[in-house]
């Protein structure tokens, strides 16, 4: 690999999460009965005309702004012509010469480098329907067509071939996904096909200035798949180059079962899409006011949020990455900190509770943090109880379980269950004395130097107090009594 | 019945001298009597029309008239969508296709109580200028059945000309309303692009198509345009244009006085039938007598009009017609070996020669290799033409010309490429145009054409109305087609 460098460009199709399709009023909901989200427009009946969904245009502008792109004040839709049953008009309405956004960039951050990846363009287009060729495992001798997806708005984000490895490509996609999720312009769910990606890979000898022959890979539907496909393709191309043969320009398909790329069509068969400006749609004019308004709707983006979390909450990198990976988790965290009465001491504990306890529980129940039965205010109260020494971690976990089921205030649960921690020294000393008497064997062993023997006595105290005793206090009292 | 103007019919209905049912029955009777010879109608909605007429009668006796045109029948070109009715665009491909929705114009007609009496023949997908490319039947000129009626809205023109309906809707992409109207001796009006919604008209060339009116008189045309025009969110190219609605009345008597009318200098470059040129010169004199100022105007781009039209129209056709692939509706080839074979068989078997020719030419001009030197070039000259016309409309109010360069020809004879240049210019620039019958020569009609600036429709119609009165064309003359 030393002599060669890979240049990778990505074309990412992201389904915009508008309620209705790009050019008609049909809903965009996923998983409906085939051909239920369709109308005369998206099935291309004679005489219909496209009606542009302005929300989709706004989503593209917003995404462009977040990626530091230039927004074109006037842009056009074009017809991209090719025959296939999944595009009912036999042309796709897309943008060609005049996309909404151009010249954007994303700063790639990996553990050891920061690197700018330039984004060539972001344009708006319509999605195609779905063709089904098999039923279960049985291959059909006909094809089924589902047009529910046909006409849903997509933004296509195209990068310059500036990515140099499979890992960088994966990082880029994860970061992009994160930004888009923050903007809420797409669900970015790869399993549901919200986000799809074509990859261009070329290899060149590092002494060469010109890029090598480019191979386009299609049909990947997961970031790990994209990583595998790029790795495979780099190895394949390097092998060809090392054996002094030439790479021919072509489009290849990723076979996720066999984990190889296969030739789909070569350059001679490149389709001539016969683009021209769609006369049915008037040019989109984008005003400064609209750009300003949309800009003001852009939330604090992940990179800035991370930096702020470092400074403001003094958390470690793992915690911050976890919290910032989802805007809603970050919001939940900040809101909980806000409600906490011991902000400085609480941040780390809150982060831990969210990352381990809450998220585990939510994941088990397949809920998002937005649907969490425990609200931020109650979460903050729970943490405050721990910090004040009112409850032990063990009790806190018990209360947490109850809070999760009942969505109630932790102090009410404490009261109901009479679980307030016993920190009264006199009272605890009595119980400890009793424990030593009942566990005299253990007490003797401890005195003889077996440190671990003390746990049996602590256990007895806990049992007696139904777990409400302040463990630190028990320890110090027992040590005092046993070493007298 | 067919001697009355629309306004007179409307008044007679209002005062219950006659009923909508009388009119419908009379039209049906006439259609049954003469249309087997003329071939204007592809389909007659006899029962539905009678049913609608009865409803209209009820509304009128209860004083709930929906509009001034409530109860009057209209013929609809067979490329406009009417819910639950067939729509063939005179193509074999769409045989048996039932429209799942109403075009915006149809919704407006229904809301006004106008009765859709039948569907008229046309060139296949409106591609043609003689109605001969229809996959279904031949339509003849009612003034002489050996002659073509013009096209593509030939059926609509004949239906009005022969007194089978008081007015009809057509579509005009390159003179498709105005040319057959002129050949059949009636008024043909293409509104400004964007005045009438295109939603629901089977597209030919999207940047030219406009629904318009064929009627006996300009006044009839004015009554109908007020019903079908208007901004429509379903057609983003429609405009919010208010002037047609305003109450400003032009002083009819003095309207022509001082009006500046331009005559294209380029007229002399064309081979024009002598009778047409003579009549046109005569009509200019008549206008001058009314105090119209005649100006000579220079539009060098006119020379490119037929070529521009052909290139851009065919390009748009090639994309618009692509949807007719047999996958979801329409004709489908029976046996095919694979997808491409199915596409090509379906289209080869169901589309006519003219349609295929235009698809192939359009595909050619949009191909990567020829896009810049043919298609883009044509678009640039189109822009120049539009800019030129904008400048000219600062100097003059209307451009006046013969409607066509030639008289109607016999079946089997061909019109020249330049025949409709003045009409096509209006489509290229999105301008309103109206042809008015001027006189008969050897019992065949000929007409003149007024073309206005964008959205000058109201004044254009008023001027045409005045002109019509001056020339005294006998609208009560009907072809003897029995």
């Amino acid at each position: 690999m030393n002599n060669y460098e890979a240049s990778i460009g990505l074309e990412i199709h992201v389904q915009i999460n508008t309620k209705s399709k790009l050019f008609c009023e049909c809903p965009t909901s996923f998983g409906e009965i085939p051909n239920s989200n369709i109308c005369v427009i998206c099935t291309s009946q004679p005489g219909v005309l496209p009606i542009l969904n302005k929300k989709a245009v706004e989503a593209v502008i917003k995404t462009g702004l977040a990626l530091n792109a230039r927004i074109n004040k006037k842009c056009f839709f074009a017809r991209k012509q090719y025959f296939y049953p999944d595009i009912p008009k036999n042309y796709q309405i897309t943008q060609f010469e005049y996309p909404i956004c151009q010249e954007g960039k994303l700063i790639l951050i990996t553990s050891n480098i920061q690197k700018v990846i330039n984004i060539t363009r972001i344009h708006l287009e319509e999605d195609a329907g779905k063709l089904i060729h098999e039923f279960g495992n049985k291959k059909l001798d006909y094809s089924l067509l589902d047009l529910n997806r046909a006409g849903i708005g997509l933004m296509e984000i195209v990068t310059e071939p500036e990515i140099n490895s499979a890992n960088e490509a994966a990082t880029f996609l994860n970061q992009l996904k994160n930004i888009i999720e923050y903007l809420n312009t797409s669900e970015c769910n790869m399993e549901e096909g919200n986000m799809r990606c074509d990859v261009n890979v070329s290899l060149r000898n590092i002494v060469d200035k010109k890029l090598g022959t480019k191979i386009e890979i299609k049909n990947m539907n997961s970031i790990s798949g994209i990583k595998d496909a790029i790795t495979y393709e780099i190895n394949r191309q390097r092998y060809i180059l090392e054996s002094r043969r030439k790479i021919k320009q072509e489009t290849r398909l990723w076979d996720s079962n066999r984990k190889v790329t296969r030739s789909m069509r070569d350059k001679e068969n490149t389709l001539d899409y016969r683009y021209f400006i769609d006369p049915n749609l008037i040019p989109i004019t984008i005003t400064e006011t609209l750009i300003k308004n949309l800009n003001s709707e852009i939330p604090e983006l992940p990179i800035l949020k991370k930096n702020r979390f470092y400074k403001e909450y003094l958390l470690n990198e793992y915690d911050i990455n976890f919290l910032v990976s989802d805007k809603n988790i970050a919001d939940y965290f900040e809101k909980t900190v806000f409600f906490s009465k011991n902000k400085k001491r609480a941040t780390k504990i809150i982060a831990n509770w969210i990352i381990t306890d809450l998220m585990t529980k939510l994941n088990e129940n397949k809920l998002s943090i937005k649907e969490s039965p425990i609200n931020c205010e109650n979460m903050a109260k729970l943490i405050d109880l721990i910090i004040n020494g009112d409850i032990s971690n063990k009790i806190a976990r018990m209360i947490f379980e109850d809070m999760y089921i009942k969505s109630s205030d932790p102090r009410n649960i404490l009261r109901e269950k009479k679980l307030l921690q016993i920190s009264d020294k006199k009272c605890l000393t009595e119980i400890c004395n009793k424990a030593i008497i009942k566990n005299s064997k253990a007490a003797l062993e401890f005195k003889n130097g077996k440190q671990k023997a003390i746990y049996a006595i602590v256990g007895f105290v806990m049992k007696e107090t139904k777990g409400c005793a302040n463990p630190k206090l028990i320890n110090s009292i027992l040590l005092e009594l046993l070493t007298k | 019945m067919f001697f009355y103007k629309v306004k007179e019919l409307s008044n007679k209905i209002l005062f219950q001298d006659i009923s909508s049912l009388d009119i419908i029955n009379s039209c049906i009777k006439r259609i049954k009597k003469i249309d087997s010879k003329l071939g204007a109608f592809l389909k007659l909605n006899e029962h539905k029309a009678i049913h609608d007429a009865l409803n209209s009668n009820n509304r009128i006796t209860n004083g709930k008239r929906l509009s001034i045109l409530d109860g009057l029948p209209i013929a609809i070109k067979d490329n406009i969508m009417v819910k639950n009715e067939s729509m063939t665009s005179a193509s074999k491909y769409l045989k048996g296709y039932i429209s799942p929705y109403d075009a915006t114009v149809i919704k407006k007609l229904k809301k006004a109580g106008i009765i859709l009496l039948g569907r008229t023949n046309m060139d296949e997908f409106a591609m043609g200028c003689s109605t001969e490319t229809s996959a279904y039947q031949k339509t003849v000129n009612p003034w002489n059945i050996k002659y073509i009626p013009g096209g593509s809205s030939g059926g609509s023109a004949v239906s009005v000309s022969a007194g089978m309906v008081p007015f009809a809707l057509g579509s005009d992409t390159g003179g498709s309303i105005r040319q057959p109207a002129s050949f059949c001796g009636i008024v043909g009006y293409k509104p400004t692009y964007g005045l009438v919604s295109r939603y629901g008209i089977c597209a030919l060339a999207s940047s030219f198509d406009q629904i318009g009116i064929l009627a006996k008189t300009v006044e009839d045309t004015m009554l109908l345009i007020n019903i079908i025009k208007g901004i429509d969110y379903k057609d983003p190219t429609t405009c919010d244009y208010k002037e047609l609605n305003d109450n400003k009345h032009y002083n009819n008597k003095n309207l022509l006085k001082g009006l500046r009318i331009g005559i294209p200098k380029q007229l002399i470059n064309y081979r024009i039938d002598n009778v047409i040129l003579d009549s046109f010169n005569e009509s200019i004199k008549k206008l001058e007598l009314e105090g119209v100022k005649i100006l000579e105007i220079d539009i060098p781009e006119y020379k490119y009009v037929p070529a521009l039209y052909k290139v851009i129209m065919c390009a748009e056709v090639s994309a618009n017609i692509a949807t007719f692939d047999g996958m979801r509706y329409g004709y489908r080839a029976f046996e095919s070996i694979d997808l491409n074979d199915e596409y090509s068989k379906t289209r080869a078997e169901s589309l006519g020669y003219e349609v295929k020719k235009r698809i192939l030419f359009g595909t050619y001009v949009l191909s990567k290799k020829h896009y810049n030197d043919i298609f883009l070039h044509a678009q640039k000259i189109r822009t120049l033409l539009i800019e030129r016309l904008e400048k000219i409309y600062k100097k003059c109010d209307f451009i006046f010309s013969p409607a066509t360069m030639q008289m109607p020809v016999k079946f089997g004879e061909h019109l020249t490429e330049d025949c409709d240049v003045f009409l096509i210019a209006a489509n290229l620039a999105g301008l309103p145009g109206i042809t008015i019958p001027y006189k008969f020569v050897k019992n065949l009609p000929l007409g003149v054409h007024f073309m206005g600036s964008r959205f000058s429709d109201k004044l254009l119609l008023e001027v045409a109305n005045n002109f019509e009165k001056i020339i005294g064309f006998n609208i009560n003359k009907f072809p003897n087609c029995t």
Side-chain angles (χ1 to χ4, degrees):
Chain A
M1 191 62 210
N2 295 333
N3 299 328
Y4 293 101
E5 183 182 62
S7 302
I8 300 160
L10 304 175
E11 274 173 35
I12 306 128
H13 292 88
V14 181
Q15 222 173 60
I16 301 165
N17 62 352
T18 45
K19 285 201 182 77
S20 55
K21 291 186 181 178
L22 186 54
F23 295 117
C24 64
E25 290 164 351
C26 288
T28 53
S29 43
F30 180 78
E32 304 285 344
I33 297 165
N35 296 312
S36 57
N37 286 351
I38 59 169
C39 72
V40 293
I41 295 176
C42 55
T43 59
S44 185
Q45 300 296 310
V48 296
L49 299 170
I51 314 156
L52 178 62
N53 183 340
K54 292 208 172 70
K55 291 272 173 234
V57 177
E58 292 179 6
V60 175
I61 298 174
K62 233 174 164 174
T63 310
L65 289 171
L67 294 170
N68 298 305
R70 174 164 60 82
I71 310 297
N72 288 325
K73 299 286 148 54
K74 196 169 184 183
C75 28
F76 296 83
F77 283 105
R79 295 181 180 179
K80 178 183 182 177
Q81 304 187 63
Y82 61 98
F83 273 74
Y84 209 61
D86 62 3
I87 51 163
K89 295 186 290 297
N90 285 317
Y91 62 79
Q92 178 197 30
I93 303 179
T94 177
Q95 294 189 286
F96 187 50
E97 284 169 297
Y98 311 93
I100 297 176
C101 312
Q102 277 171 296
E103 295 164 14
K105 60 173 190 280
L106 186 144
I107 302 163
L108 202 65
I109 301 175
T110 55
S111 51
N112 44 9
I113 48 153
Q114 280 202 15
K115 168 177 173 184
V116 171
I117 304 294
N118 285 297
I119 289 161
T120 322
R121 56 188 275 148
I122 308 174
H123 71 245
L124 181 57
E125 63 183 26
E126 56 180 345
D127 207 345
K130 253 182 207 160
L131 273 173
I132 295 140
H133 307 286
E134 59 252 334
F135 194 79
N137 285 329
K138 201 181 144 224
K139 193 151 170 55
L140 300 171
D141 55 359
Y142 50 87
S143 299
L144 296 166
L145 178 58
D146 177 7
L147 291 175
N148 282 352
R149 200 178 67 182
I152 293 181
L154 289 180
M155 51 186 156
E156 183 175 326
I157 301 167
V158 183
T159 77
E160 291 293 314
E162 295 170 340
I163 295 165
N164 299 118
S165 70
N167 276 332
E168 269 182 34
T171 311
F172 179 92
L173 287 168
N174 278 321
Q175 272 184 242
L176 179 71
K177 205 172 154 231
N178 199 200
I179 291 171
I180 293 171
E181 280 165 350
Y182 264 63
L183 296 170
N184 195 23
T185 51
S186 170
E187 304 300 329
C188 282
N189 189 334
M190 279 191 125
E191 285 95 68
E192 289 184 8
N194 290 149
M195 195 172 169
R196 306 190 288 272
C197 187
D198 296 341
V199 181
N200 294 314
V201 182
S202 69
L203 242 60
R204 64 164 174 185
N205 199 311
I206 13 181
V207 294
D208 290 340
K209 285 208 170 127
K210 255 174 66 187
L211 289 182
T213 309
K214 159 178 105 170
I215 301 291
E216 189 177 357
I217 319 168
K218 288 184 179 291
N219 199 32
M220 287 156 301
N221 46 21
S222 70
I223 292 180
S224 65
I226 290 165
K227 254 172 103 170
D228 291 349
I230 292 174
T231 309
Y232 176 85
E233 192 54 31
I234 290 174
N235 288 333
R236 189 187 71 89
Q237 289 186 29
R238 191 181 45 176
Y239 177 74
I240 295 175
L241 291 174
E242 279 173 349
S243 51
R244 303 198 177 276
R245 284 179 293 141
K246 274 199 171 156
I247 288 165
K248 72 178 176 161
Q249 189 173 341
E250 62 180 348
T251 302
R252 300 178 72 87
L253 275 182
W254 172 242
D255 183 335
S256 56
N257 293 327
R258 291 173 48 214
K259 300 225 182 282
V260 294
T261 62
R262 281 186 288 119
S263 184
M264 185 175 142
R265 56 168 180 253
D266 60 24
K267 202 195 169 192
E268 278 70 48
N269 290 323
T270 312
L271 296 168
D272 181 351
Y273 291 118
R274 290 172 281 119
Y275 286 99
F276 72 105
I277 289 177
D278 192 324
N280 281 331
L281 288 151
I282 49 173
I284 316 170
T285 41
I286 298 167
T287 60
E288 277 298 339
T289 332
L290 179 67
I291 294 176
K292 236 188 203 167
N293 291 343
L294 292 171
N295 219 345
S296 68
E297 286 173 24
I298 293 177
E300 182 186 34
L301 292 172
I303 293 182
L304 291 177
K305 200 184 276 291
K306 272 184 195 171
N307 287 337
R308 186 168 62 78
F309 274 26
Y310 263 119
K311 285 184 198 143
E312 217 171 308
Y313 303 117
L314 308 164
L315 297 172
N316 64 35
E317 195 177 334
Y318 174 82
D319 289 353
I320 289 178
N321 281 340
F322 187 94
L323 294 173
V324 175
S325 69
D326 180 339
K327 182 174 177 292
N328 294 321
I329 297 178
D331 287 349
Y332 188 95
F333 166 76
E334 289 208 274
K335 228 172 143 189
T336 308
V337 172
F338 170 81
F339 282 119
S340 165
K341 297 211 166 66
N342 306 281
K343 289 185 181 42
K344 270 201 175 150
R345 288 178 61 200
T347 49
K348 174 68 188 161
I349 305 173
I350 292 173
N352 286 346
W353 274 82
I354 292 174
I355 295 168
T356 46
D357 301 88
L358 184 60
M359 288 317 294
T360 316
K361 198 86 186 157
L362 290 172
N363 287 340
E364 272 169 22
N365 295 301
K366 293 197 172 117
L367 292 175
S368 77
I369 190 132
K370 272 185 147 178
E371 299 158 307
S372 165
I374 302 176
N375 65 29
C376 299
E377 210 174 338
N378 285 336
M379 190 67 171
K381 281 178 189 162
L382 179 71
I383 306 295
D384 283 344
L385 287 169
I386 300 169
I387 291 172
N388 292 339
D390 294 333
I391 54 176
S392 64
N393 267 325
K394 197 179 158 200
I395 299 289
R397 286 213 163 76
M398 278 168 63
I399 294 173
F400 176 83
E401 295 288 330
D402 270 37
M403 285 168 74
Y404 193 89
I405 295 161
K406 297 178 187 158
S407 297
S408 54
D409 188 320
R411 287 178 304 202
N412 293 342
I413 298 171
L414 267 180
R415 237 168 270 138
E416 273 167 33
K417 300 209 156 180
K418 299 184 179 115
L419 286 175
L420 260 177
Q421 186 160 298
I422 304 166
S423 299
D424 181 344
K425 200 174 174 182
K426 212 175 144 194
C427 169
L428 282 180
T429 312
E430 245 171 63
I431 300 170
C432 285
N433 271 324
K434 187 178 164 194
I436 292 170
I437 295 162
K438 292 269 177 188
N439 295 280
S440 52
K441 197 183 162 202
L444 197 66
E445 278 172 8
F446 181 81
K447 278 179 184 164
N448 289 337
K450 196 178 169 194
Q451 297 282 329
K452 276 183 184 168
I454 198 169
Y455 294 133
I457 311 170
V458 172
F460 183 87
V461 178
M462 281 301 182
K463 211 173 161 189
E464 282 289 293
T465 58
K466 291 183 185 139
C468 287
N470 182 335
K472 272 186 193 157
L473 209 51
I474 299 173
N475 256 326
S476 65
I477 293 171
L478 281 178
L479 281 177
E480 206 182 311
L481 291 174
L482 289 169
T483 49
K484 252 199 298 200
Chain B
M1 198 67 70
F2 49 88
F3 290 106
Y4 294 113
K5 295 212 275 183
V6 165
K7 195 156 195 182
E8 291 163 347
L9 287 174
S10 162
N11 280 334
K12 280 181 185 301
I13 290 178
L14 181 65
F15 299 118
Q16 298 179 29
D17 287 348
I18 51 170
S19 71
S20 169
L21 189 61
D22 298 334
I23 296 173
I24 298 293
N25 279 331
S26 143
C27 288
I28 292 172
K29 202 172 141 197
R30 184 158 173 86
I31 292 166
K32 286 190 170 164
K33 193 170 159 197
I34 64 173
D35 200 46
S36 56
K37 275 207 186 77
L38 300 179
F41 283 90
L42 284 173
K43 192 175 164 247
L44 189 62
N45 293 334
E46 198 176 336
H47 297 292
K48 177 83 169 54
I50 289 170
H51 175 82
D52 290 347
L54 288 168
N55 283 336
S56 172
N57 284 354
N58 283 335
R59 287 194 295 269
I60 281 146
T61 47
N62 294 325
K64 285 180 178 161
R65 192 160 78 141
L66 291 173
S67 77
I68 187 170
L69 301 181
D70 194 341
L72 290 176
I74 193 168
I76 308 290
K77 189 176 181 179
D78 206 30
N79 61 350
I80 300 175
M81 303 288 273
V82 181
K83 193 172 180 173
N84 299 331
E85 271 191 32
S86 69
M87 194 287 296
T88 68
S89 276
S91 174
K92 187 179 169 189
Y93 179 82
L94 285 173
K95 189 175 186 176
Y97 176 76
I98 302 295
S99 171
Y101 71 100
D102 271 332
T104 300
V105 285
I106 296 299
K107 266 196 181 145
K108 290 186 173 202
L109 293 179
K110 285 179 174 174
K111 215 177 145 196
I114 298 170
I115 293 162
L116 313 177
L117 188 55
R119 310 302 297 263
T120 55
N121 197 23
M122 55 186 281
D123 282 299
E124 181 177 5
F125 293 119
M127 297 181 203
C129 47
S130 62
T131 315
E132 286 171 288
T133 71
S134 166
Y136 298 102
Q137 67 193 37
K138 184 173 169 179
T139 303
V140 301
N141 194 311
W143 298 99
N144 186 336
I145 60 164
K146 287 188 181 126
Y147 287 78
I148 61 163
S152 66
S153 309
S156 286
V158 173
S159 72
V160 175
S161 165
M164 295 187 275
V165 281
F167 41 39
L169 285 191
S171 64
D172 193 317
T173 305
S176 272
I177 286 174
R178 293 160 292 157
Q179 184 252 37
S182 188
F183 280 2
C184 292
I186 57 169
V187 171
Y189 164 50
K190 179 198 94 74
T192 299
Y193 185 80
L195 187 68
V196 177
S197 169
R198 290 182 295 120
Y199 184 74
I201 175 178
C202 187
L204 169 56
S206 315
S207 71
F208 303 117
D209 293 347
Q210 186 63 190
I211 291 176
I213 296 163
L214 301 98
K216 277 297 219 189
T217 69
V218 178
E219 198 192 4
D220 296 352
T221 309
M222 289 157 107
L223 293 173
L224 191 56
I225 188 64
N226 276 315
I227 285 171
I228 62 168
K229 71 176 169 56
I231 190 165
D232 177 15
Y233 82 97
K234 288 180 173 169
D235 177 0
T237 59
T238 54
C239 296
D240 193 7
Y241 177 71
K242 299 216 168 62
E243 211 193 305
L244 271 176
N245 272 333
D246 71 15
N247 294 319
K248 187 168 121 201
H249 280 290
Y250 295 102
N251 185 337
N252 278 354
K253 267 194 180 162
N254 290 326
L255 184 60
L256 293 179
K257 198 173 176 181
L259 200 73
R260 299 163 305 167
I261 284 184
I263 314 288
K265 189 178 147 186
Q266 278 67 24
L267 257 176
I268 51 162
N269 299 339
Y270 297 103
R271 226 180 49 213
I272 306 179
D273 285 0
N274 284 333
V275 283
I276 292 179
L277 199 57
D278 293 347
S279 309
F280 181 63
N281 287 329
E282 189 187 301
S283 67
I284 294 175
K285 285 197 186 102
K286 283 187 181 171
L287 282 170
E288 278 180 315
L289 279 176
E290 295 296 317
V292 168
K293 272 190 218 157
I294 302 292
L295 308 162
E296 190 189 61
I297 51 170
D298 185 10
I299 314 169
E301 291 80 7
Y302 264 17
K303 136 169 98 178
Y304 305 113
V305 162
L308 297 185
Y309 176 67
K310 196 174 165 188
V311 168
I312 301 168
M313 176 269 294
C314 287
E316 293 185 13
V317 160
S318 70
N320 284 338
I321 301 295
T323 196
F324 300 132
D325 59 2
M327 291 294 145
R328 299 166 314 286
Y329 54 82
Y331 183 90
R332 188 167 195 170
F334 282 110
E335 277 175 33
S336 51
I337 43 173
D338 60 23
L339 184 62
N340 270 332
D341 188 48
E342 177 153 351
Y343 281 142
S344 46
K345 276 193 180 138
T346 294
R347 289 161 70 83
E349 289 165 19
S350 67
L351 301 177
Y353 174 78
E354 182 65 26
V355 180
K356 286 174 192 159
K357 198 174 83 183
R358 294 193 191 194
I359 293 170
L360 290 177
F361 184 67
T363 306
Y364 178 81
V365 301
L366 286 176
S367 64
K368 221 180 229 163
K369 206 171 162 191
H370 300 288
Y371 178 86
N372 283 330
D373 58 338
I374 307 182
F375 181 74
L376 199 61
H377 203 60
Q379 290 286 25
K380 282 178 185 163
I381 304 174
R382 183 186 187 182
T383 308
L384 291 179
L385 172 70
I386 293 169
E387 286 167 0
R388 172 84 62 190
L389 287 166
E390 271 170 12
K391 264 185 217 153
I392 281 171
Y393 281 115
K394 283 182 185 140
K395 286 191 292 187
C396 72
D397 302 304
F398 294 99
I399 294 172
F400 188 52
S401 68
T404 56
M405 308 288 183
Q406 286 170 279
M407 294 295 283
V409 295
K410 285 182 183 163
F411 284 99
E413 291 175 356
H414 292 287
L415 294 166
T416 64
E417 204 184 34
D418 292 335
C419 182
D420 301 335
V421 164
F422 296 116
L423 308 181
I424 295 172
N427 299 89
L428 280 168
L431 305 176
I434 187 165
T435 52
I436 300 147
Y438 182 68
K439 68 156 139 198
F440 284 91
V441 175
K442 290 182 188 162
N443 206 36
L444 282 172
L446 66 91
V448 292
H449 181 236
F450 286 96
M451 182 170 82
S453 56
R454 264 178 83 70
F455 293 108
S456 67
D457 296 65
K458 183 173 167 123
L459 188 60
L460 173 73
L461 289 164
E462 297 276 0
V463 166
N465 192 22
N466 274 272
F467 178 79
E468 192 181 49
K469 278 176 191 147
I470 300 164
I471 58 171
F473 184 83
N474 183 9
I475 65 144
N476 286 339
K477 181 174 167 169
F478 274 90
N480 176 24
C481 30
T482 43

